[in-house]
Amino acid sequence: MAPAAASSAAVFLPTAAAGEATVRPSFVREADERPRVAHDHFSGEVPVVSLAGIGGARRGEIRARVAAACEDWGIFQVVDHGVDAALVADMARLAREFFALPPEEKLRYDMAGGEKGGFIVSSHLQGEAVQDWRELVTYFSYPVESRDYSRWPNKPAAWRAVVEQYSEQLMGLACKLLGVLSEAMGLETDALARACVDMDQKVVVNFYPRCPQPDLTLGLKRHTDPGTITLLLQDLVGGLQATRDGGRTWITVQPIDGAFVVNLGDHGHFLSNGTFKNADHQAVVNSECSRLSIATFQNPAPDAAVYPLAVREGEAPILEEPITFAEMYRRKMARDLELGKLKKQGKEKKEKQMLQQSANGV
């Protein structure tokens, strides 16, 4: 049975902002966080790796290219990956149909109350200082027993069947990539899979509607993913951006039809002892058309130990001691929220001082 619909009157959905000329204050970013590169100013710097022959003669070449990409960017794209193209097209089509539903239909799966899975604007994180210009629907797909089908939309009608197939094929692709990454670290092929213990998979379907003032906001704020790797399917609109120099310069990743963008997450970064970068990225929006992306997060089990597996001779581990992935994630989210809170307080203090100076005629 589908959950009861939340009231749509009190919830602002970016998909309903077609007639608005300005961005609401809750979405406006500070000047230093705003986009500096256009959504369609594409760069070909992020490596594109063909996985054809991954089980044979080309494996060594693929391993070398993946290693170089992870050391340089922590991000690369894969083609010839074996995921069924018709299934990918169905997944994208159904996702667009879901976000085109009336607000009351989407809000039947509202997760603002803390539910694990469903629909929400901006993010599942509570206490955000600034909202992201996106709507999303998310669900946990692995382990299979963790699936809560009551939080999976029942519209469009084929959603559940297609999502199950898509999740299964993405799990297969993730396992292939983890094997290559293990070898690239100088480890046995199954080392990363074993480090994940019982791998979790979480799928987040992102919809970034047209935005009246895209220069003032972000579709998704700058961040690194917490897990092992993320597989991102994106349409051809453009909006995924990456940096490898701490945010001094940004590029917009060139969309490739049918490709998956692979982001190395914090867990993968720590397992490599920092040799492989965790992808530093964000998403920007535009005023011309909407954008769709589907992120599949491959994460370790909550109780999996987070600690370097590949420590080179003469190096020291970048973590003092092992911690669980659940604790690593908790610390990361708490730190991000605290930084956002401090920035918001600083902004409010500055505005208060300016008002005071104005009142005093300064």
Side-chain angles (χ1 to χ4, degrees), residues 298-320:
Q298 301 290 157
N299 299 331
D303 59 354
V306 181
Y307 196 71
L309 295 178
V311 181
R312 297 173 177 175
E313 186 175 349
E315 291 182 344
I318 60 174
L319 292 178
E320 292 183 1

Side-chain angles (χ1 to χ4, degrees), residues 169-182:
Q169 290 204 21
L170 268 287
M171 178 62 81
L173 174 58
C175 290
K176 283 197 292 188
L177 289 169
L178 288 178
V180 170
L181 284 165
S182 294

Side-chain angles (χ1 to χ4, degrees), residues 211-227:
C211 179
Q213 294 178 297
D215 56 320
L216 297 183
T217 189
L218 289 171
L220 181 57
K221 69 180 180 181
R222 177 185 175 184
H223 66 288
T224 60
D225 297 335

Side-chain angles (χ1 to χ4, degrees), residues 47 63-76 181 183-186 243-245 262 264 268-269 272-279 310 312 315:
R63 181 169 61 240
R65 295 202 65 201
V66 166
C70 289
E71 290 176 1
D72 198 18
W73 283 97
I75 182 172
F76 57 98
L181 284 165
E183 294 172 12
M185 293 182 194
T243 179
R244 56 177 169 178
D245 58 12
V262 183
L264 195 76
H269 170 72
S272 75
N273 202 40
T275 300
F276 291 171
K277 291 183 176 179
N278 41 353
R312 297 173 177 175
E315 291 182 344

Side-chain angles (χ1 to χ4, degrees), residues 12-180:
F12 170 74
L13 272 59
T15 46
E20 300 194 8
T22 59
V23 171
R24 299 191 178 198
S26 64
F27 293 92
V28 176
R29 293 265 163 200
E30 288 289 289
D32 64 338
E33 296 179 325
R34 294 174 189 173
R36 285 175 265 166
V37 181
H39 78 284
D40 55 357
H41 186 190
F42 298 133
S43 167
E45 289 186 62
V46 168
V48 180
V49 181
S50 168
L51 299 186
I54 192 173
R58 287 195 63 242
R59 189 173 183 87
E61 175 196 341
I62 293 169
R63 181 169 61 240
R65 295 202 65 201
V66 166
C70 289
E71 290 176 1
D72 198 18
W73 283 97
I75 182 172
F76 57 98
Q77 300 197 66
V78 293
V79 295
D80 304 319
H81 42 65
V83 178
D84 183 72
L87 177 63
V88 168
D90 284 345
M91 185 71 189
R93 174 181 56 82
L94 292 172
R96 285 195 174 275
E97 288 179 10
F98 172 81
F99 289 107
L101 291 172
E104 58 271 19
E105 285 290 339
K106 291 183 283 190
L107 289 168
R108 292 171 68 189
Y109 301 92
D110 184 24
M111 56 186 290
E115 290 84 357
K116 291 186 70 176
F119 171 82
I120 201 164
V121 172
S122 182
S123 171
H124 66 285
L125 295 176
Q126 303 297 309
E128 286 184 300
V130 182
Q131 288 185 289
D132 292 325
W133 190 265
R134 69 166 176 168
E135 296 178 11
L136 65 92
V137 63
T138 181
Y139 50 88
F140 292 86
S141 44
Y142 280 90
V144 172
E145 58 269 21
S146 71
R147 295 178 182 176
D148 181 358
Y149 288 116
S150 72
R151 305 302 305 170
W152 292 33
N154 58 7
K155 293 182 181 179
W159 181 271
R160 176 170 165 176
V162 170
V163 161
E164 287 180 332
Q165 294 176 56
Y166 183 84
S167 298
E168 181 179 355
Q169 290 204 21
L170 268 287
M171 178 62 81
L173 174 58
C175 290
K176 283 197 292 188
L177 289 169
L178 288 178
V180 170

